[in-house]
Amino acid sequence: MSGDLIDVLIPVPLLENFTYKVPKEYKNKKFKKGLRLKVPFGNRIVTGIFWAYSDSIKSKRASYKYIKEILDEDPLLDETLLDLADWASRYYHYPLGEVISYFFPPTLRKGAEARFRRSTYWKVTDKGDFFDLSIFKRAPKQREALELLRERGDMSQQSLKAYGISAPILNNLAKKELIKKLSIEQAPIKSVGSETTEQKKLTREQRESIEVISKELSSNKIFLINGVTGSGKTEVYLRCIKQLVDQGKQALVLIPEIGLAPQAERRFKEMFGDRVASFHSAKNERERLDVWLGAQRGLYDIVIGTRSSVFIPMKNLGVIVVDEEHDASFKQADRFRYSARDIALYRAKLNRIPTLLASATPSVESMSNALNGKYKLLTLKHRATGADLPTFIPLDLKGKVLEEGFSEQLLEEISNELNKKNQVLVFLNRRGFACSLICKSCGWVSYCDRCDAHMTLHSNPIQLHCHHCEHKKPLYTECPSCKHNEFESYGLGTERIETYLKKKFNQFPVLRIDSDSTRKKNAFTNYLKVIEEGEPLILVGTQMLAKGHHFPDVTLVAILDADSGIFSADFRGSERVAQLITQVSGRAGREKKPGKVILQTYCQEHPQMEELLKGDYESFVKKIIKDRASTKSPPFSFQIKLQAESFNGLQSRDFLVTCLDYLNNTQHLSKGMKTIGPLPSLMEKKSGVYRWEVSFFSSSRKSLHNLADHLQSFLYLPKQTRKVRWSIDVDPISTV
Ligand code: ADP
Ligand code: ZN
Ligand code: ZN
């Protein structure tokens, strides 16, 4: 009988499903798609997912193993999420067994039971109800405990402790069978109506945007809220969500990074009280499971989270918001290379609900979809607080003497602002002390042995650090090449600027905010608190400071090296720079005090710099869209990238040549397809391996995906995988 065999998904990088036998005790069980199972796999026991009953042809073979256990009564994911997983696996050309594991939090992947944290409760037994309390003469505490439980009914061990009743006392009573222990799931209580009633008066632009969206809250339209920094985009989507929550629906809000979670959570809690939960990697596994279950059972109205939250099940999802939709961190850079924004859009389509994309610097893809009418564009040109947008001032560095990267003029401006009791933000997108170390006598440079990159000098602790492979080395005492011992540190990093500014402006605090200084738990939140106090200070930071934060007292943003990025080899480079500069500039002058952005540059006359200096992102992005249209680059064509890596560059290249030969011989490289490569990746050597790539472009997504299907089945042939590791990247966003 075919019902005896089932197909199970296993989280391994292989394309096929695995077939298992159902043991007798489960013969009458009706398996539902998505059920978690424990199954033997190799010499391990793993968590698999029931996907389908096996077809009868397969069942003639008898060597299948039995499943061990069924973990859930009912599938934890609903039909649409299972369909979403199936689609994502096909779209990103990544094995379904792996893809579906992203839909579960770590504990459930490991096979834990899908239940909330349990607490111990105590209950009086029948015997305990009628027990004569006077017998307890010599055990007053036991008497007290029993009396209390009789009076108050079941109590948690924790609240009994508050009455001074300890566990041994309770255990003694339990031994006498007067009380018994219960283990009860602690689901979050769905509170209602705790929101504040105080509401901001909306600006005209906000009101109009909300009106447009409100009319289509039950559609599956996509809205792009393109609003300048501080225009109150958050307020717009908060109000839209409110309308849906009032109808009993839930919202999923994606944010690009964990640093923004506390601020977002606070804004939401002001409106929705406790019905808000957040999901990100700073939470421990238990906390993540509780939030996941709360969302799945509909106990939270709003879940805010980073990239992987797009997979969280929601009982009655009404809208998905992707804030800072342009942000590169929505795209996973390895293994399953999905874009959380694009998955969100497809999920919303399956659920027939609207999606709100928000950004002050929309991505080229989204902006072009808005311009061609696929998305509904809502524009907010003014700041909600009435503040003006900051003015952009270029500072020509040609012929100027710099002190640790600062021109005299910039130092003066910084000093002026501080004396006016304002805050200053100095932006440099490079952490560490210096870019590299150079031998003064022979010119030797501190390259990383494992990457085509310099090792960065760090000052605390003093060591060399490769930012590409995380390799660390102690400082050299002598030059490995000429044995002399005098070095020069070359180039600027945030640590060096911090040191310099602390000396230069010693009466003011200098806070450095980058991924090194905020590694410790709560470090970032603590910095934010200091900034919020509003005292004059200098912030030095990387792109971490550019994202979404509201710093009301920053009046000057100084961009130390505006030229970096302008000359990028990546066709997406100019988009990236414009976003970064616009975002970091947006931290200036957000409230009462006007803001100013100073850009130090050597190439003021470069057309792109001229465009940037206008401070008009929208016109900038429209120009990029035009360029892309004329060169037929994405989004005017679609791209899939195949990358190969191995310990030898030629081997990586040859592998790609073999793949191309296969596609040519099987006539899968159709006419409209453009192929670029094989070429070494921008950084060919990384972490000791040599990377080459080939990209396929086509104006037809369908033919490109057909090609990738064939390519995938070729790549997964067992003989391919030995010496070369490969990856398929659909809609890649970087060339590094
Ligand atoms: P964005 O998300 O566009 O960057 P926010 O929603 O964070 O902007 O709003 C920026 C600041 O303006 C916040 O301090 C917010 O409280 C405030 N704000 C938003 N809407 C209004 C309004 N209608 N009136 C006054 N202040 C507002
Ligand atoms: Zn030397
Ligand atoms: Zn390295």
Side-chain angles (χ1 to χ4, degrees):
M1 195 184 95
S2 65
D4 295 348
L5 287 179
I6 58 173
D7 283 344
V8 176
L9 304 179
I10 310 278
V12 287
L14 293 169
L15 278 188
E16 69 259 47
N17 296 345
F18 296 88
T19 304
Y20 284 88
K21 282 197 282 202
V22 178
K24 271 207 194 76
E25 69 249 50
Y26 293 134
K27 277 273 149 67
N28 296 324
K29 170 98 188 165
K30 170 101 183 70
F31 285 79
K32 290 188 201 142
K33 194 171 172 181
L35 219 50
R36 287 184 309 147
L37 310 170
K38 259 190 188 163
V39 297
F41 187 77
N43 49 13
R44 297 178 294 155
I45 300 287
V46 300
T47 308
I49 305 290
F50 169 76
W51 201 247
Y53 283 101
S54 265
D55 49 50
S56 49
I57 303 159
K58 266 192 190 167
S59 66
K60 296 211 173 91
R61 286 173 44 195
S63 61
Y64 303 117
K65 291 179 183 163
Y66 283 106
I67 62 162
K68 289 263 182 242
E69 199 184 332
I70 299 176
L71 291 169
D72 305 310
E73 195 56 40
D74 281 305
L76 299 171
L77 307 178
D78 62 26
E79 289 277 339
T80 38
L81 285 182
L82 297 172
D83 288 347
L84 184 68
D86 197 32
W87 169 81
S89 161
R90 281 183 283 112
Y91 185 83
Y92 290 104
H93 298 274
Y94 203 69
L96 182 56
E98 291 261 0
V99 168
I100 204 146
S101 71
Y102 281 75
F103 285 69
F104 295 97
T107 36
L108 294 184
R109 264 178 243 164
K110 289 183 240 168
E113 63 168 358
R115 292 200 183 284
F116 291 103
R117 194 188 306 261
R118 286 172 181 274
S119 293
T120 303
Y121 276 70
W122 291 95
K123 178 186 183 64
V124 181
T125 58
D126 287 347
K127 187 175 165 195
D129 265 335
F130 300 101
F131 193 71
D132 179 4
L133 288 173
S134 63
I135 297 176
F136 275 134
K137 258 190 205 120
R138 280 204 224 114
K141 275 280 173 195
Q142 286 188 37
R143 177 185 173 134
E144 195 187 324
L146 188 57
E147 261 183 323
L148 197 63
L149 281 164
R150 274 193 192 171
E151 209 174 283
R152 315 253 319 230
D154 304 351
M155 282 174 83
S156 71
Q157 180 146 325
Q158 207 162 9
S159 34
L160 283 159
K161 204 171 158 196
Y163 284 93
I165 293 162
S166 62
I169 297 165
L170 294 162
N171 288 331
N172 274 334
L173 284 173
K175 258 185 230 148
K176 294 174 190 146
E177 293 177 349
L178 299 174
I179 61 173
K180 69 176 179 200
K181 203 189 244 183
L182 304 173
S183 169
I184 294 179
E185 248 189 300
Q186 296 292 290
I189 294 161
K190 183 164 177 164
S191 60
V192 277
S194 54
E195 68 259 27
T196 51
T197 45
E198 187 199 336
Q199 291 209 332
K200 291 186 186 75
K201 191 171 173 312
L202 296 170
T203 65
R204 188 179 52 82
E205 290 177 328
Q206 284 175 320
R207 212 176 47 239
E208 285 171 3
S209 301
I210 295 169
E211 268 167 24
V212 173
I213 300 169
S214 302
K215 285 197 193 112
E216 318 233 35
L217 281 177
S218 47
S219 74
N220 62 359
K221 281 237 158 62
I222 302 163
F223 299 91
L224 175 61
I225 310 173
N226 169 32
V228 298
T229 52
S231 57
K233 297 180 285 297
T234 313
E235 196 65 29
V236 170
Y237 65 68
L238 272 167
R239 302 277 180 114
C240 296
I241 289 175
K242 178 80 171 64
Q243 297 177 37
L244 288 166
V245 166
D246 287 346
Q247 298 169 22
K249 294 189 180 149
Q250 294 170 291
L252 179 59
V253 181
L254 303 180
I255 54 172
E257 75 166 87
I258 188 176
L260 291 167
Q263 186 188 321
E265 213 175 318
R266 198 169 63 203
R267 290 281 289 275
F268 272 92
K269 286 199 162 151
E270 278 169 22
M271 193 176 274
F272 297 99
D274 295 337
R275 296 173 291 157
V276 180
S278 66
F279 188 91
H280 48 68
S281 60
K283 303 226 162 200
N284 67 34
E285 291 192 352
R286 179 72 249 180
E287 289 168 330
R288 274 194 268 174
L289 176 58
D290 283 349
V291 171
W292 192 93
L293 289 170
Q296 189 238 17
R297 299 193 197 170
L299 301 175
Y300 293 116
D301 291 337
I302 288 134
V303 176
I304 306 169
T306 44
R307 184 172 63 221
S308 65
S309 315
V310 73
F311 302 114
I312 295 179
M314 308 276 280
K315 194 169 180 202
N316 189 12
L317 188 58
V319 64
I320 308 181
V321 174
V322 185
D323 200 1
E324 312 289 352
E325 67 84 28
H326 65 279
D327 202 290
S329 45
F330 285 124
K331 173 94 173 163
Q332 179 149 297
D334 57 1
R335 291 159 46 89
F336 173 27
R337 292 159 197 252
Y338 68 97
S339 150
R341 178 195 62 206
D342 296 346
I343 298 231
L345 292 170
Y346 199 80
R347 181 171 179 181
K349 184 175 164 173
L350 289 175
N351 276 295
R352 298 198 190 85
I353 56 168
T355 317
L356 310 181
L357 308 175
S359 176
T361 53
S363 61
V364 167
E365 295 85 31
S366 297
M367 197 54 165
S368 118
N369 276 327
L371 295 175
N372 69 24
K374 270 199 207 142
Y375 302 173
K376 177 107 194 121
L377 181 64
L378 302 161
T379 308
L380 292 88
K381 289 192 170 345
H382 301 96
R383 282 184 158 171
T385 49
D388 283 326
L389 283 168
T391 28
F392 280 69
I393 304 165
L395 207 163
D396 193 347
L397 291 183
K398 286 195 279 297
K400 295 233 163 70
V401 182
L402 302 185
E403 205 178 314
E404 296 292 78
F406 290 84
S407 62
E408 207 183 317
Q409 218 175 325
L410 180 57
L411 289 169
E412 230 168 73
E413 295 271 2
I414 293 176
S415 163
N416 283 344
E417 292 305 319
L418 292 172
N419 290 330
K420 283 193 265 173
K421 302 216 175 321
N422 293 328
Q423 297 179 345
V424 174
L425 191 165
V426 177
F427 175 75
L428 180 73
N429 209 13
R430 208 177 301 126
R431 62 197 169 87
F433 186 81
C435 303
S436 58
L437 202 65
I438 295 177
C439 169
K440 274 190 165 180
S441 102
C442 77
W444 167 92
V445 179
S446 60
Y447 277 109
C448 175
D449 305 331
R450 312 168 60 201
C451 305
D452 290 332
H454 296 142
M455 289 191 92
T456 305
L457 178 65
H458 280 248
S459 59
N460 186 22
I462 298 184
Q463 61 181 4
L464 292 166
H465 189 165
C466 174
H467 289 176
H468 302 281
C469 71
E470 298 298 310
H471 185 52
K472 287 173 187 154
K473 255 190 196 172
L475 207 57
Y476 292 87
T477 46
E478 57 179 39
C479 169
S481 164
C482 74
K483 310 289 175 210
H484 280 81
N485 61 0
E486 268 193 276
F487 295 99
E488 181 78 71
S489 54
Y490 173 79
L492 297 169
T494 45
E495 286 177 17
R496 185 162 181 175
I497 290 168
E498 177 196 15
T499 313
Y500 170 72
L501 291 171
K502 273 185 171 156
K503 249 188 250 153
K504 188 88 188 169
F505 298 100
N506 56 15
Q507 64 280 45
F508 296 100
V510 177
L511 306 186
R512 173 169 58 87
I513 300 183
D514 54 29
S515 53
D516 297 314
S517 73
T518 52
R519 201 151 283 165
K520 288 206 188 98
K521 205 174 176 177
N522 295 330
F524 194 57
T525 321
N526 292 337
Y527 282 129
L528 291 180
K529 274 187 202 140
V530 176
I531 301 169
E532 264 172 33
E533 282 167 17
E535 294 300 313
L537 53 79
I538 306 179
L539 298 169
V540 176
T542 55
Q543 43 126 10
M544 260 189 116
L545 278 182
K547 297 187 181 183
H549 298 288
H550 186 63
F551 301 139
D553 296 291
V554 170
T555 52
L556 171 63
V557 167
I559 298 176
L560 226 45
D561 178 10
D563 303 336
S564 67
I566 287 270
F567 302 105
S568 162
D570 183 349
F571 73 86
R572 292 181 179 86
S574 52
E575 175 187 3
R576 206 66 47 72
V577 178
Q579 285 166 345
L580 199 52
I581 289 190
T582 312
Q583 289 287 349
V584 71
S585 305
R587 304 312 119 207
R590 286 169 72 93
E591 284 196 357
K592 284 156 206 111
K593 310 172 203 166
K596 183 153 67 168
V597 185
I598 298 181
L599 298 97
Q600 294 198 130
T601 171
Y602 285 100
C603 48
Q604 202 176 325
E605 296 79 23
H606 189 286
Q608 261 181 24
M609 186 56 76
E610 277 183 348
E611 198 61 42
L612 270 179
L613 287 168
K614 289 184 195 155
D616 181 356
Y617 178 81
E618 194 174 322
S619 95
F620 191 92
V621 81
K622 281 181 180 161
K623 284 223 167 68
I624 299 181
I625 292 174
K626 249 194 198 151
D627 285 350
R628 300 260 189 104
S630 68
T631 54
K632 291 223 163 41
S633 324
F636 297 91
S637 60
F638 302 100
Q639 182 186 1
I640 288 182
K641 186 169 89 179
L642 172 66
Q643 192 175 51
E645 54 181 56
S646 71
F647 292 114
N648 173 327
L650 285 181
Q651 195 167 277
S652 303
R653 193 202 61 182
D654 290 349
F655 178 80
L656 296 179
V657 171
T658 314
C659 294
L660 283 179
D661 284 349
Y662 165 77
L663 291 173
N664 267 322
N665 295 340
T666 49
Q667 269 132 39
H668 286 305
L669 276 179
S670 58
K671 268 186 235 118
M673 198 86 66
K674 189 168 100 183
T675 308
I676 295 185
L679 288 168
S681 300
L682 265 192
M683 185 185 288
E684 183 185 0
K685 184 177 161 201
K686 190 180 169 188
S687 301
V689 294
Y690 293 80
R691 299 145 357 125
W692 280 64
E693 62 191 46
V694 56
S695 273
F696 305 96
F697 295 85
S698 170
S699 56
S700 151
R701 186 168 251 161
K702 191 155 173 274
S703 54
L704 197 60
H705 279 259
N706 271 340
L707 171 102
D709 283 339
H710 291 291
L711 186 58
Q712 197 182 19
S713 49
F714 178 69
L715 290 167
Y716 277 97
L717 292 177
K719 63 178 176 143
Q720 309 294 10
T721 48
R722 300 262 163 77
K723 288 180 185 147
V724 179
R725 267 184 33 177
W726 50 264
S727 61
I728 294 177
D729 193 347
V730 177
D731 308 328
I733 59 164
S734 81
T735 20
V736 183

